[in-house]
Amino acid sequence: MSTRREQTWRFEHGAPHTDRLHAMRSAATDASRPLHISFGAQVQQLGPMAAGWNITLDDGRLFNAAVVLLAIPAPQAVALLDRRDSGRDREAVHGLTAPIRNALAAVEMSPCWSGMFATDAPFRLDALPLLGDDALQIRAQPQTSRSGADDAAHVATAWVAQTGAAWSSAHLELDAREIESRLTAAIYAQHAQARVRFMRAHRWRYARVTRGLAVESLWMGNASIGACGDWGGATLEESERAVTSGRALAGVLLAHYNIASIG
């Protein structure tokens, strides 16, 4: 889930099935209020302790954790579990996490370029040319915003375009400005009279699960480490997997520690 605010517009440019929600990111914000969270901190390495884990962040900070839960894209989780120093810790981490690491390594994901843009309204935009047959899912956002105080007569509509897996993969390493230029050109090719007032591109390197796991979540009680994500429960609808996986892991965790409820 991701909400991005630019100028006077708000874009829900994350999960494509949740665009009907207003201020999408607020769900996570509300749930996290009682928690202490370090934002903008990347976990660089995990190290086993007698009980739990020591965590090394990319800025050099260290702290201890009783439990590690990996709620990140499967390829990133595998990379983290593979990243360890030489010596005893390396073998210990490998032995403790091998079942989870090997399961997540079987997950396959594809990328997506998202284009966030605002245009003069009203006009119809169902598809864009020049981006390939599988290229686009266009969604009008549930809002309109005035383009500025000095231009109150103009009301612009916010849109999100999410390109298909094949096109995104072929153009994965392009600069965001090049993607923005191509999306803008595609809009004008279909609607020559349109006025694009704003355009931003965002690359989701791990956007869609192309091969998931049948299990809803992964948990190793002896190592106090688990994983959840949109790869879980491959038989479920795509829009349900991440939430269902997270709930499943939460239930396993509560049962393991004999906790009746978290409130």
Side-chain angles (χ1 to χ4, degrees), residues 63-81:
F63 64 94
N64 298 332
V67 178
V68 168
L69 304 179
L70 304 171
I72 55 179
Q76 292 180 328
V78 171
L80 175 59
L81 295 176

Side-chain angles (χ1 to χ4, degrees), residues 145-194:
S145 298
R146 296 192 180 278
S147 58
D150 59 342
D151 195 10
H154 273 295
V155 177
T157 300
W159 303 82
V160 168
Q162 292 181 316
T163 63
W167 194 91
S168 294
S169 296
H171 302 84
L172 183 62
E173 302 302 336
L174 286 183
D175 184 82
R177 287 172 293 183
E178 176 64 22
I179 298 296
E180 292 162 7
S181 177
R182 295 191 183 206
L183 287 172
T184 301
I187 293 170
Y188 286 137
Q190 180 168 326
H191 295 277
Q193 303 305 314

Side-chain angles (χ1 to χ4, degrees), residues 67-209:
V67 178
V68 168
L69 304 179
L70 304 171
I72 55 179
Q76 292 180 328
V78 171
L80 175 59
L81 295 176
D82 284 345
R83 191 184 306 129
R84 46 192 177 266
D85 288 336
S86 59
R88 183 174 57 187
D89 277 1
R90 175 174 182 164
E91 296 306 318
V93 172
H94 178 74
L96 287 172
T97 65
I100 285 182
R101 185 261 178 222
N102 294 339
L104 293 177
V107 174
E108 295 180 357
M109 304 190 73
S110 61
C112 175
W113 273 106
S114 286
M116 297 165 278
F117 58 97
T119 60
D120 282 348
F123 78 97
R124 187 174 180 83
L125 189 61
D126 293 323
L128 295 180
L130 310 180
L131 295 180
D133 293 338
D134 76 333
L136 219 56
Q137 179 177 357
I138 294 285
R139 295 179 290 125
Q141 297 291 280
Q143 60 156 356
T144 56
S145 298
R146 296 192 180 278
S147 58
D150 59 342
D151 195 10
H154 273 295
V155 177
T157 300
W159 303 82
V160 168
Q162 292 181 316
T163 63
W167 194 91
S168 294
S169 296
H171 302 84
L172 183 62
E173 302 302 336
L174 286 183
D175 184 82
R177 287 172 293 183
E178 176 64 22
I179 298 296
E180 292 162 7
S181 177
R182 295 191 183 206
L183 287 172
T184 301
I187 293 170
Y188 286 137
Q190 180 168 326
H191 295 277
Q193 303 305 314
R195 182 179 176 186
V196 177
R197 293 181 166 270
F198 172 85
M199 172 68 76
R200 285 289 184 275
H202 181 85
R203 176 176 57 195
W204 298 100
R205 190 174 291 274
Y206 305 110
R208 304 179 178 97
V209 177

